[in-house]
Amino acid sequence: MKRFLKFLWIIPIAFVLIQFIHPEKNIATSPSENRIEKVRPVPKELQTIFATSCYDCHGNNTVYPWYNNIQPVAWWLSSHINDGKRHLNFDEFATYSPRRKYSKLKEIEELVNNGEMPSPSYTLAHRDAILDAHQKEVVANWCQDFRKSLEAQYPMDSLTKEKK
């Protein structure tokens, strides 16, 4: 029993110590020259949707909540943001190949329409990020129009051809 009590002291000490270890924050020093608006105009309404529901995890500037200062929450948020940016980064969209742009636009439309994005773990704390039917339609229509412009610009097989 004494061993167990000694072990219990390690938990609060470890909790205090990890408070001094913070991951690097996702805050760019200047706007990206590769953001999605450089590729295709984004209407004001859609910019608002992206800013409210997407950019924290899929951009180079995250607005951090107060609880980001508590470990291990900051590590979890950092991992979530890095994972989101790995899948799609609106601030680096201009660097994507036409095939990747096309694929990401289709994916955005599907995930938004299916209610998978914004992520339920994000909307739990950011209720204003939940998209209503009209907002989903705005996103879907813009993605479809963007894909059609890519289809007009590039051969279809170059946009959908599977990688080997």
Side-chain angles (χ1 to χ4, degrees):
M1 183 66 158
K2 284 185 180 183
R3 279 189 198 170
F4 181 72
L5 291 175
K6 284 182 183 180
F7 177 74
L8 281 180
W9 280 104
I10 293 173
I11 295 171
I13 291 169
F15 183 76
V16 169
L17 290 176
I18 66 173
Q19 299 313 307
F20 296 100
I21 306 168
H22 288 274
E24 185 177 337
K25 288 191 174 184
N26 182 45
I27 299 175
T29 56
S30 61
S32 173
E33 290 300 316
N34 296 314
R35 63 186 179 274
I36 198 164
E37 292 88 355
K38 298 288 183 174
V39 180
R40 183 170 178 86
V42 178
K44 187 91 170 141
E45 183 179 16
L46 186 58
Q47 285 179 8
T48 301
I49 292 168
F50 283 166
T52 304
S53 301
C54 307
Y55 287 164
D56 275 349
C57 298
H58 297 284
N60 291 340
N61 271 307
T62 300
V63 177
Y64 287 93
W66 65 269
Y67 49 84
N68 182 65
N69 295 314
I70 301 170
Q71 295 297 15
V73 175
W75 291 332
W76 179 81
L77 287 174
S78 179
S79 173
H80 185 83
I81 292 163
N82 289 335
D83 188 48
K85 286 173 59 176
R86 187 172 42 81
H87 287 288
L88 170 67
N89 187 338
F90 286 105
D91 285 323
E92 301 302 327
F93 200 83
T95 66
Y96 292 178
S97 69
R99 177 183 297 146
R100 186 164 187 214
K101 287 175 187 164
Y102 190 84
S103 169
K104 290 301 169 185
L105 291 164
K106 189 173 185 176
E107 190 176 343
I108 291 166
E109 182 182 353
E110 289 173 1
L111 292 173
V112 165
N113 282 335
N114 293 337
E116 296 175 51
M117 281 290 152
S119 165
S121 65
Y122 183 76
T123 58
L124 188 63
H126 302 87
R127 306 305 289 169
D128 60 331
I130 297 171
L131 301 177
D132 62 28
H134 171 73
Q135 292 170 314
K136 288 179 181 182
E137 184 179 2
V138 168
V139 171
N141 289 341
W142 185 82
C143 287
Q144 289 168 7
D145 289 345
F146 195 163
R147 283 199 337 265
K148 285 178 188 172
S149 75
L150 290 171
E151 289 168 3
Q153 218 175 348
Y154 300 97
M156 194 61 189
D157 66 334
S158 72
L159 297 174
T160 59
K161 189 176 176 184
E162 294 291 319
K163 289 183 180 179
K164 293 183 180 182

